[in-house]
């Protein structure tokens, strides 16, 4: 062991090393400001530069408004609300037309939105969170835990999705929209979990992960700081993908009549239009077109945001952003 | 005495094979035009070996690409590149069309790129690669394969075995040699090699250079060898051209350059390289860094780093001056002064004198390895049903002590188990059997809760740190340096205020030469150079005040000229923090520099075993084990007429550690091996040459007295690779 004098000597040299540096003490307010700047403001600006994110976010924002404010503004429709099968763009009262029994199509679309969003969020978040948890934990810890989780994932992966959903839907008859969402992604997470696991296995080999390990940093730190940021672009892309999956799956299943018709849904609209041969009759075309356009639009919005998100996690883009901020403030100062 | 304005020309032209005039390579960028090769002119003679030396980012790879008009878009090449064919015709390289260029690149001038080892198609056998190349150029396949067999034998490979292997079955050194053979398949006249050996260990590098020399003579080749490692090419080349800041600064015959180099940069480069002979105190790093292509200094581009710079150098660009020797030219105003003002360290060589420096190591070991073994189960069978699992003996029965303030350098080839031994010593790798003790406590017992000691595993964990080899992956690319360094302190010293924490970090960063520290702290890893990343990694390792730092090839990825600087810094931090180092390297000269400066030890490892260990200077100057002598041979000397001795090995590839050879594991390659070596394995024992240095131990029968059975047994001859000793 080193002698006491040696230690104090060492401390002195160390002390002299740190002299001359007194970074200003940051107040709580400063810290909050730095946090907001680094975690909210600058990522947002970085995303905003990309036209894809701008357009995508606008579209998604439109849908959120439609789901929250929409139902309050647009009156709930009822049977005989308007004339039967009036095409779109004919009257101001029913701009998107009416169906066979006089429902206003605009109102149907808007009132289906809240449930739809709830379902999408429920399904996508459930699948991605489960996939990330399972994938990271099994990839990082290895050993027995890995074995159990991988087996579980493989089983989920190999059960055919559609029959499973049909059976579960028949047993549980889910009514809450977010439960429907979860049901729709009940085994969709497995593929993602596998992909994440194999990526974690690669990242685990990186020297900086080993360095964190030798510093005895807690597992939560290593996962949060060293592993997840590398996966974030991938995870977010999959979140958007999963959202689209939920939309398409729900539309398809409502259309086929497999899910109970409990809430308004664009799939139900499609189903009704189809029941009345809208796909073969040109004069009823609008009835089918409205839900299709809405579904297409939200899907495009999700894709665009997913593509633009990539930038936020790219350190090169972030560094360039920092630099451009510096130079512009310098210019401001002059 | 100026020859021409800023260009280099030669007197005669009849024996020139490639002529270059005012060649530039540039990129248009938002920030302006970036010239990564600036109006260079150089003639390459027929059948010479020309070494081109420069630091990373000096434009040397661009020169190679330009010769083949292979600069990748959006880069543009301008100037004249003329190729004089043997039949007297001349080809203007920059005006060739795609089809002509394709033929030119393989049949006239062929190239081995940096990192080309990864360019093999993993699903194609080596034979397939040769056939594809032959077919693509309409050559006769059978004739071509015959030539391939001949070429492979020339590079010390077993042609039949190699041709039928898949790329992944070959080691890095083998792949590189296959590539050389492949590039010579279509009988080119010129071979351009861009850092062909950078990823290999020193012994393999030297072996490849040696066989390159043979190839050059046998096939009448002109060889262009591009590298950052001046001593490496010095031994091989006829002429050397030194590149600095995108221009040639000195060109001349190699003996001239080594003995009477007249450009301050060349002299600084020579002094910055660790060798086995230069007195340690005379090596010095080059201050400063090479310029950015956007922002090349005015006048002589070397003036910010040059000790002789004056007003004129800043304002005016120097022309080429001819020195007394006809073919030796220098781009410096003060070349005559440079020779007297900047003495060359290797001129004062002190061969043979082994002075032992006393370190301030304590008696009590920090780490003790006791009969340590690490074996890997190499299980590539399907469900364990088909094929048997194989055991790799990575580390076998090692006993070792590491003291406070100690330095232990572990030296050996890739695949000798040195990294595994290093990681096992700092408890990153669980041993198969044996113990690793930290101040008397078995680390793995503490971790598993089997120990009565009141020392916590976490404390031990933090006391043993690591610096990795690859600067590219040593830092988390997603966070700024500040965050990387701050998080461990936040976690372990949570009572420290943010101010103290940051001042500690900034102080350390400043100390390792990253100034201004506050600015560096705000950078992301990709904004740092390789050397800077390694310094941050060093800073991180020091945050916890560790007892031992494992430096796993920590300087090998850096340019030769930066290595001394990095090692100096690590040593000076040792004094400040009272740490010990385990320094892993394939380069005996680096090991000597690092361990020798503070009286540390060098351990030489071969196939999982330590074959020689002792005080650094003693092992270097007085090596006992034949393998140590081989490693010493592989370390280039800065001496133009140095050893032309034959390769002191019977086989240049290291055997597979899955089935290590019986007896002495080195017997398959050892030039001194006798039948006794095949049967019995020597123990690591103190040498008995009566110099009283107890700590010098060796595992070889050669060191045994004359009555040992070794001396009466027969010499082993190398029946299985007759190509090696011709
Ligand atoms: S010209 Fe001047 S600055 Fe350039 S190398 Fe010579 S002395 Fe140094
Ligand atoms: S024991 Fe024999 S084979 Fe081994 S190094 Fe010594 S002489 Fe060579």
């Amino acid at each position: 062991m080193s002698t006491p004098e040696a230690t104090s000597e060492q401390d002195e040299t160390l002390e002299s090393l740190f002299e001359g540096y007194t970074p200003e003490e940051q107040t709580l307010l400063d810290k909050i400001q730095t946090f907001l700047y680094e975690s909210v403001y600058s990522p947002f600006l970085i995303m905003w530069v990309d036209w894809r994110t701008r357009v995508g976010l606008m579209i998604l924002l439109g849908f959120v408004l439609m789901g929250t404010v929409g139902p309050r503004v647009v009156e709930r429709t009822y049977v005989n609300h308007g004339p039967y099968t009036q095409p779109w763009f004919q009257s101001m009262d029913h701009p998107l037309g009416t169906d066979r029994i006089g429902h206003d199509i605009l109102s149907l679309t808007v009132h289906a939105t809240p449930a739809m969003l709830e379902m999408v969020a429920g399904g996508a978040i459930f699948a991605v969170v489960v996939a990330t948890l399972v994938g990271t934990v099994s990839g990082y810890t290895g050993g027995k835990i890995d074995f159990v989780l991988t087996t579980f994932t493989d089983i989920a992966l190999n059960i055919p999705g559609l029959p499973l959903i049909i059976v579960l839907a028949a047993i549980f008859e889910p009514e809450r929209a977010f439960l429907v969402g979860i049901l729709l992604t009940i085994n969709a997470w497995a593929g993602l979990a596998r992909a994440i696991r194999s990526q974690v296995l690669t990242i685990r080999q990186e020297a900086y992960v080993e360095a964190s390990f030798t510093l005895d940093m807690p597992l939560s730190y290593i996962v949060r700081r060293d592993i997840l940021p590398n996966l974030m672009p991938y995870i977010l892309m999959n979140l958007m993908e999963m959202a689209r999956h939920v939309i398409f799956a729900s539309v398809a299943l409502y259309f086929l009549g497999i899910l109970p018709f409990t809430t308004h849904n664009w799939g139900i609209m499609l189903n009704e239009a189809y029941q009345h041969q809208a796909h073969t009759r040109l004069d009823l075309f609008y009835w089918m077109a409205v839900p299709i356009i809405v579904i297409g639009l939200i899907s495009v919005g999700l894709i665009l945001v997913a593509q633009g998100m990539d930038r936020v996690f790219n350190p090169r883009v972030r560094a360039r952003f920092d630099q451009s901020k510096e130079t512009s403030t310098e210019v401001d100062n002059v | 005495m100026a020859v021409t304005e800023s260009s280099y020309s030669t007197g005669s032209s009849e024996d020139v094979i490639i002529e270059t005039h005012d060649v530039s390579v540039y990129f248009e960028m938002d920030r302006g035009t970036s010239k990564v090769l600036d109006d260079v002119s150089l003639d390459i003679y027929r059948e010479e070996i020309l070494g081109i030396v420069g630091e990373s980012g000096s434009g040397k790879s661009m020169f190679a690409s330009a010769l083949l008009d292979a600069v990748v878009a959006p880069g543009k090449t301008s100037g004249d590149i003329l190729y004089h064919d043997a039949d007297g015709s001349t080809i203007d390289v920059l005006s060739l069309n795609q089809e002509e260029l394709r033929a030119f690149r393989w049949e006239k001038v062929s190239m081995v790129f940096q990192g080309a080892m990864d360019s093999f198609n993993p699903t194609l056998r080596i034979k397939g690669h040769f056939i594809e190349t032959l077919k693509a150029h309409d050559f006769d396949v059978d004739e071509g394969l015959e030539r391939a067999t001949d070429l492979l034998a020339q590079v010390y490979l077993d042609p039949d075995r190699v041709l039928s292997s898949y790329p992944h079955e070959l080691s890095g050194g083998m792949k590189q040699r296959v590539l050389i053979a492949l590039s010579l398949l279509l009988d080119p006249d010129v071979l351009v090699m861009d850092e062909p050996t950078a990823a290999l260990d020193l012994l393999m590098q030297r072996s490849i250079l040696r066989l390159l020399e043979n190839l050059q003579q046998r096939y009448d080749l002109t060889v262009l060898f591009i590298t950052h490692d001046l001593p490496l090419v010095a031994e091989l080349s006829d002429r050397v051209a030194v590149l600095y800041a995108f221009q040639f600064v000195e060109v001349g015959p190699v003996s001239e350059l080594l003995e009477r180099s007249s450009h301050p940069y060349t002299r600084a480069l020579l002094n910055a390289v660790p060798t086995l002979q230069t007195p340690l105190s005379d090596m010095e790093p080059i201050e400063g860094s090479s310029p950015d292509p956007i922002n090349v200094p005015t006048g002589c581009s070397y003036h910010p780093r040059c000790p002789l710079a004056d007003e004129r150098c800043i304002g005016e660009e120097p022309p080429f001056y001819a020195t007394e020797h006809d073919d030796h030219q220098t781009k410096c105003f003060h070349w005559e002064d440079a020779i007297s003002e900047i003495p060359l360290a290797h001129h004062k060589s002190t061969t043979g004198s082994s002075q032992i420096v006393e370190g301030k190591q304590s008696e009590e070991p920090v780490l003790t390895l006791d009969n340590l073994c690490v074996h890997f189960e190499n299980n590539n069978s399907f469900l364990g049903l088909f094929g048997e699992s194989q055991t790799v003996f990575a580390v076998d029965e090692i006993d070792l002590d590491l003291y406070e303030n100690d330095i232990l350098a572990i030296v050996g080839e890739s695949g000798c188990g040195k990294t595994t031994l290093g990681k096992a010593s700092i408890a990153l790798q669980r041993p198969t059997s044996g113990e690793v003790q930290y101040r008397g406590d078995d680390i793995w017992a503490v971790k598993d809760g089997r120990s009565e000691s009141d020392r916590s595993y976490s404390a031990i964990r933090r006391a043993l740190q690591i610096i990795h080899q690859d600067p590219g992956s040593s830092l988390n690319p997603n966070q700024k340096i500040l965050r990387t360094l701050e998080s461990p302190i936040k976690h372990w010293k949570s009572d420290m205020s943010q101010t103290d924490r940051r001042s500690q970090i900034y102080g350390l960063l400043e100390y390792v030469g990253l100034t201004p520290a506050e600015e560096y702290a705000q950078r992301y890893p990709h904004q740092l150079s390789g050397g800077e990343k390694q310094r941050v990694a060093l800073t991180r390792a020091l945050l916890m005040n560790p007892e031992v730092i494992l430096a796993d090839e920590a300087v090998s990825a850096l340019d030769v000229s930066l290595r001394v600087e990095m090692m100096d810094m690590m040593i000076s931090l040792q004094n400040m923090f009272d740490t010990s180092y385990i320094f892993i390297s394939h380069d005996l000269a680096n090991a000597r520099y690092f361990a020798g400066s503070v009286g540390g030890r060098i351990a030489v490892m071969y196939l999982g075993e330590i074959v020689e260990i002792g005080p650094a200077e003693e092992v270097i100057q007085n090596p006992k084990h034949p393998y140590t002598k081989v490693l010493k041979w592989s370390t280039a000397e800065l001496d133009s007429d140095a050893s032309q001795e034959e390769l002191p090995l019977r086989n240049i590839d290291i055997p597979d550690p899955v089935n290590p050879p019986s007896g002495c594991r080195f017997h398959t390659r050892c030039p001194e091996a006798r039948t006794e070596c095949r049967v019995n394995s020597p123990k690591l024992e103190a040498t008995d040459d009566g110099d009283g240095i107890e700590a010098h131990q060796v595992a070889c029968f050669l060191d045994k007295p004359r009555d040992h059975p070794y001396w009466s047994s027969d010499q082993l001859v190398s029946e299985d690779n007759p190509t090696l000793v011709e």
Side-chain angles (χ1 to χ4, degrees):
Chain A
M1 285 278 175
S2 40
T3 59
E5 296 109 87
T7 325
S8 72
E9 220 173 81
Q10 187 194 343
D11 282 349
E12 251 162 54
T13 32
L14 285 182
E15 215 107 278
S16 68
L17 199 60
F18 308 136
E19 260 170 32
Y21 270 106
T22 34
E24 274 167 45
E25 182 74 52
Q26 284 188 311
T27 62
L28 185 64
L29 194 66
D30 287 337
K31 282 184 189 166
I32 294 174
Q33 264 181 354
T34 326
F35 172 79
L36 284 179
Y37 180 82
E38 296 222 330
S39 319
V40 181
Y41 179 69
S42 73
F44 181 76
L45 277 192
I46 289 170
M47 270 192 347
W48 198 245
V49 174
D50 197 315
W51 69 268
R52 293 173 302 189
T53 353
R54 276 203 301 267
V55 175
L57 280 180
M58 294 301 236
I59 294 175
L60 293 190
L61 185 70
F63 276 99
V64 171
L65 285 178
M66 198 161 126
T68 49
V69 186
R72 277 158 234 248
V73 180
V74 180
E75 164 193 15
R76 185 176 282 277
T77 188
Y78 42 88
V79 180
N80 291 338
H81 184 193
Y84 300 151
T85 59
Q86 187 190 53
W88 52 8
F89 311 129
Q90 300 277 325
S91 77
M92 284 305 288
D93 288 342
H94 310 289
L96 294 182
T98 56
D99 69 4
R100 274 286 290 253
I101 43 173
H103 281 134
D104 177 49
I105 291 183
L106 175 68
S107 169
L108 281 180
T109 314
V110 170
H111 283 272
T113 315
M116 202 74 196
L117 292 181
E118 195 183 318
M119 182 175 69
V120 168
I125 292 174
F126 163 78
V128 169
V129 168
V130 171
T132 310
L133 268 178
V134 172
T136 345
V137 171
S138 81
Y140 189 80
T141 49
K144 281 205 189 78
I145 300 180
D146 181 29
F147 182 75
V148 171
L149 287 176
T150 319
T151 315
F152 181 51
T153 312
D154 282 347
I155 294 172
L157 201 57
N158 285 306
I159 299 176
L162 189 61
L164 180 70
I165 293 172
I166 295 174
V167 170
L168 289 180
I171 299 173
F172 294 110
E173 300 198 342
E175 291 183 5
R176 286 304 309 264
F178 79 90
L179 288 178
V180 176
I182 292 177
L183 178 70
L184 290 174
T185 53
I186 194 74
N187 70 346
W189 57 268
L192 182 58
R194 278 211 127 193
I196 289 180
R197 173 176 174 271
S198 70
Q199 294 215 12
V200 170
L201 282 179
T202 322
I203 298 171
R204 218 180 76 164
Q205 305 290 323
E206 297 282 344
Y208 62 84
V209 178
E210 192 169 59
S212 292
F213 177 77
T214 53
L215 288 164
D216 204 26
M217 297 302 281
L219 181 64
S220 65
Y221 172 90
I222 296 179
V223 170
R224 242 174 345 106
R225 290 285 185 73
D226 289 342
I227 295 181
L228 280 185
N230 283 296
L231 294 174
M232 260 346 244
Y234 188 72
I235 291 175
L236 280 178
M237 226 179 65
N238 274 284
L239 184 71
M240 301 296 160
E241 276 299 314
M242 216 46 99
R244 293 177 60 225
H245 169 84
V246 172
I247 295 170
F248 290 141
S250 72
V251 167
L253 293 181
Y254 277 116
F255 180 82
L256 295 174
I258 289 165
L259 289 170
F261 283 19
T262 44
T263 47
H264 284 288
N265 185 286
W266 303 327
I268 298 175
M269 290 172 68
L270 271 177
N271 178 294
E272 284 175 348
Y274 179 79
Q275 298 288 326
H276 296 95
Q277 315 299 322
H279 60 294
T280 55
R281 289 175 51 189
L282 209 58
D283 57 327
L284 288 183
F285 169 71
Y286 67 94
W287 192 356
M288 204 145 207
V290 171
I292 288 178
I293 291 173
V294 172
I295 293 164
L297 202 62
I298 193 168
S299 158
V300 167
L302 287 167
I303 293 177
L304 288 175
V305 171
Q307 288 181 346
M309 287 277 216
D310 224 27
R311 294 167 58 85
V312 183
F313 294 96
N314 184 338
R316 285 170 200 276
V317 177
R318 298 197 74 153
R320 232 176 293 141
F321 175 81
D322 283 358
Q323 267 164 11
S324 68
K325 276 289 121 172
E326 253 160 51
T327 41
S328 67
T329 43
E330 268 163 36
V331 174
D332 290 349
N333 292 346
V334 175
Chain B
M1 265 223 284
V3 181
T4 51
E5 274 308 302
S6 81
S7 79
Y8 171 82
S9 80
T10 56
S12 57
S13 65
E14 69 240 72
D15 54 351
V16 170
I17 186 159
I18 298 181
E19 230 180 288
T20 63
H21 288 294
D22 300 332
V23 176
S24 299
V25 175
Y26 50 94
F27 289 86
E28 304 288 353
M29 310 205 306
D30 329 336
R31 298 188 289 154
T33 305
S34 145
K35 265 201 172 183
V36 290
L37 198 62
D38 190 5
D39 278 337
V40 301
S41 303
L42 181 76
D43 291 344
I44 299 162
Y45 304 152
R46 200 176 296 282
E47 287 170 37
E48 74 166 338
I49 301 183
L50 173 66
I52 295 191
V53 179
E55 289 171 280
S56 345
S58 61
K60 57 188 194 307
S61 298
M62 283 302 156
F63 183 71
S65 305
L67 284 183
L68 289 155
D69 195 15
V71 174
V72 275
K76 296 197 188 75
T77 315
S78 69
D80 290 310
I81 300 172
L82 301 177
Y83 174 82
H84 299 290
D85 211 346
D87 61 14
S89 61
T90 296
I91 298 174
D92 180 357
V93 177
L94 293 184
S95 65
L96 295 178
N97 64 30
Q98 279 303 319
E99 188 49 36
E100 290 165 336
L101 209 52
R102 204 175 57 91
F104 176 77
R105 276 186 202 156
W106 280 87
E107 294 159 32
K108 304 289 182 204
V109 180
S110 75
M111 180 151 176
V112 179
F113 282 98
Q114 188 170 5
M117 276 188 277
D118 306 320
S119 64
F120 282 109
N121 174 352
T123 62
L124 198 60
R125 288 176 203 272
I126 298 298
K127 192 170 188 172
H129 289 90
F130 279 87
I131 295 176
E132 261 188 2
T133 311
L134 288 165
K135 283 196 178 145
H137 291 262
D138 297 323
F139 273 63
D140 184 83
V141 172
D142 291 334
E143 225 170 85
L145 281 182
E146 225 163 86
R147 187 178 159 86
T149 312
D150 184 44
L151 280 166
L152 288 172
Q154 285 298 311
V155 294
Y156 302 152
L157 289 169
D158 177 354
D160 296 330
R161 220 200 93 207
V162 168
L163 281 175
S164 58
S165 319
Y166 284 101
H168 72 91
E169 295 171 317
L170 303 178
S171 73
M174 289 175 159
K175 276 192 244 181
Q176 194 59 269
R177 272 138 63 208
V178 171
L179 270 181
I180 294 175
L182 189 59
S183 67
L184 294 178
L185 184 61
L186 305 185
D187 196 18
D189 292 319
V190 183
L191 178 62
V192 180
M193 311 188 81
D194 184 9
E195 295 271 15
T197 56
L200 304 174
D201 57 52
L202 211 54
L203 184 54
M204 186 53 74
Q205 290 186 9
R206 281 273 296 202
S207 309
I208 287 184
L209 288 194
R210 187 43 64 86
L211 60 90
L212 212 55
E213 236 170 344
N214 296 341
L215 286 174
Q216 192 261 340
Q217 274 160 18
R218 194 179 163 113
Y219 298 106
D220 297 333
L221 285 171
T222 307
V223 178
L224 215 70
F225 196 98
I226 296 172
T227 178
H228 66 93
D229 195 337
L230 181 51
L232 187 76
V233 282
E235 192 216 327
L236 170 83
S237 315
D238 303 316
R239 279 197 311 152
V240 171
V242 180
L243 203 59
Y244 181 77
F246 324 108
Q247 290 185 321
F248 288 111
V249 294
E250 184 164 13
V251 184
V254 71
S255 56
E256 274 289 304
L257 230 70
L258 290 184
E259 300 307 319
R260 281 177 296 281
S261 48
S262 47
H263 195 281
Y265 177 63
T266 316
R267 297 184 81 83
L269 263 187
L270 288 170
N271 283 345
V273 177
T275 68
L276 292 182
Q277 261 141 40
T278 317
L280 291 172
S281 51
D282 283 345
M283 295 178 198
E284 35 186 315
I286 311 179
E287 300 291 336
S289 56
S290 52
D292 188 58
I294 299 268
N295 210 351
V296 179
T298 58
C300 172
S301 53
Y302 187 55
H303 80 249
R305 299 167 83 182
C306 181
L308 302 180
D310 60 13
E311 282 303 312
R312 185 158 168 226
C313 306
I314 297 171
E316 223 182 296
E317 187 178 332
F320 266 104
Y321 291 93
T323 68
E324 290 99 47
H325 192 284
D326 303 340
D327 216 11
H328 178 190
Q329 304 192 14
T330 302
K331 199 174 164 184
C332 170
F333 292 121
H334 306 295
W335 63 273
E336 279 157 304
D337 302 334
I339 296 182
S340 53
E341 294 285 330
I342 309 171
L344 288 181
H346 69 276
H347 278 173
K348 300 187 272 178
S349 72
T350 52
T351 324
S353 83
S354 59
Q355 85 275 31
I356 314 282
V357 200
E358 280 303 327
K360 48 168 189 165
Q361 293 98 310
S362 64
E363 288 297 304
E364 212 180 310
V366 181
L367 283 179
T368 305
L369 312 187
D370 185 9
N371 201 11
L372 187 82
C373 298
V374 184
H375 300 168
F376 296 111
E377 289 300 319
N378 195 353
N379 196 345
N380 43 17
S381 57
F382 177 69
L383 291 177
L385 289 178
F386 312 106
E388 67 269 45
S389 77
Q390 297 168 311
T391 308
V392 180
F393 297 86
V395 171
D396 226 12
E397 297 180 15
I398 302 256
D399 294 300
L400 206 61
D401 285 326
L402 191 74
Y403 302 93
E404 273 174 28
N405 275 311
D406 198 359
I407 289 188
L408 174 70
I410 305 177
V411 189
E413 281 165 281
S414 349
C416 73
K418 55 192 193 301
T419 297
T420 313
L421 175 60
K423 287 198 172 170
S425 334
I426 62 161
L428 276 179
Q429 170 70 51
R430 194 183 268 267
T432 319
S433 63
E435 272 183 14
V436 186
Q437 294 167 2
Y438 173 80
R439 297 196 185 282
D441 293 331
D442 179 353
I443 300 181
W444 293 97
V446 172
K447 172 148 198 201
D448 300 341
R450 287 184 276 114
S451 162
E452 282 95 72
S453 161
D454 37 282
R455 199 172 267 127
S456 76
Y457 170 71
S458 177
I460 300 178
R461 176 66 279 143
R462 277 174 285 142
L464 310 173
Q465 291 297 317
I466 183 169
I467 307 173
H468 291 88
Q469 167 171 20
D470 175 15
S473 96
S474 59
L475 301 174
N476 184 342
N478 294 300
Q479 54 191 24
K480 293 181 179 171
I481 305 305
L482 180 63
R483 197 156 196 192
T484 293
L485 295 178
E486 210 172 23
S487 303
I489 310 186
K490 252 191 202 164
H491 185 76
W492 289 113
K493 302 180 188 161
S494 46
D495 52 338
M496 205 176 201
S497 75
Q498 188 190 40
T499 317
D500 291 348
R501 197 163 67 215
R502 297 219 165 150
S503 70
Q504 181 174 358
I505 290 170
Y506 294 150
L508 270 172
L509 282 177
E510 183 120 306
Y511 189 83
V512 298
L514 298 177
T515 43
E518 302 200 27
E519 196 210 304
Y520 269 97
Q522 289 301 326
R523 295 203 191 171
Y524 286 94
H526 75 264
Q527 294 169 297
L528 304 180
S529 70
E532 287 169 342
K533 279 183 215 163
Q534 287 306 63
R535 289 168 203 216
V536 176
L538 175 61
T539 311
R540 176 180 53 199
L542 288 168
L543 287 176
M544 293 290 122
N545 248 318
E547 299 266 0
V548 179
I549 295 181
L550 170 69
D552 183 5
E553 300 273 16
V555 300
S556 306
L558 306 180
D559 267 10
V560 168
S561 54
L562 299 175
R563 289 183 191 165
V564 169
E565 202 179 349
M566 181 77 191
M567 288 192 279
D568 279 345
M569 182 167 308
M570 289 166 70
I571 292 167
S572 76
L573 283 164
Q574 169 173 46
N575 291 333
M576 205 173 290
F577 284 86
D578 271 328
T579 16
S580 304
Y581 285 104
I582 301 176
F583 181 85
I584 293 177
S585 180
H586 60 80
D587 185 338
L588 209 50
N590 285 340
R592 170 194 182 227
Y593 186 83
F594 197 72
S597 329
V598 281
R601 287 167 298 163
I602 291 182
V604 179
M605 237 184 131
Y606 186 75
L607 284 181
E609 295 176 332
I610 289 180
V611 295
E612 182 161 5
I613 184 168
E617 222 35 40
E618 171 72 12
V619 170
I620 299 289
Q621 307 299 355
N622 193 12
K624 293 285 180 205
H625 198 280
Y627 185 60
T628 315
K629 291 180 189 158
V630 170
L631 289 180
K632 193 175 167 185
W633 170 86
S634 75
T635 311
E637 300 300 334
L638 275 177
D639 193 349
S640 52
D641 45 39
S643 54
Q644 288 298 315
E645 319 142 23
E646 266 310 314
L647 180 70
L649 270 180
R650 285 167 40 242
N651 193 338
I652 62 178
D653 287 299
I654 190 167
D656 197 345
V658 172
N659 284 314
S662 62
C664 172
R665 291 186 177 177
F666 190 49
H667 86 252
T668 52
R669 302 166 81 193
C670 179
E672 307 282 351
R674 297 185 181 215
T675 43
E676 172 71 12
C677 309
R678 205 153 53 184
V679 188
N680 288 317
S681 52
K683 298 264 162 308
L684 191 62
E685 280 159 2
T687 58
D688 87 317
D689 56 356
D691 59 4
I693 299 172
E694 288 277 320
H696 190 178
Q697 298 178 324
V698 65
C700 174
F701 295 136
L702 265 184
D703 196 50
K704 294 281 173 271
R706 284 278 156 183
D707 54 5
H708 191 272
Y710 166 81
W711 295 105
S712 50
S713 62
D714 292 331
Q715 191 91 23
L716 277 186
V717 280
S718 39
E719 62 290 310
D720 43 4
N721 42 284
T723 42
L724 198 58
V725 191
E726 285 191 288

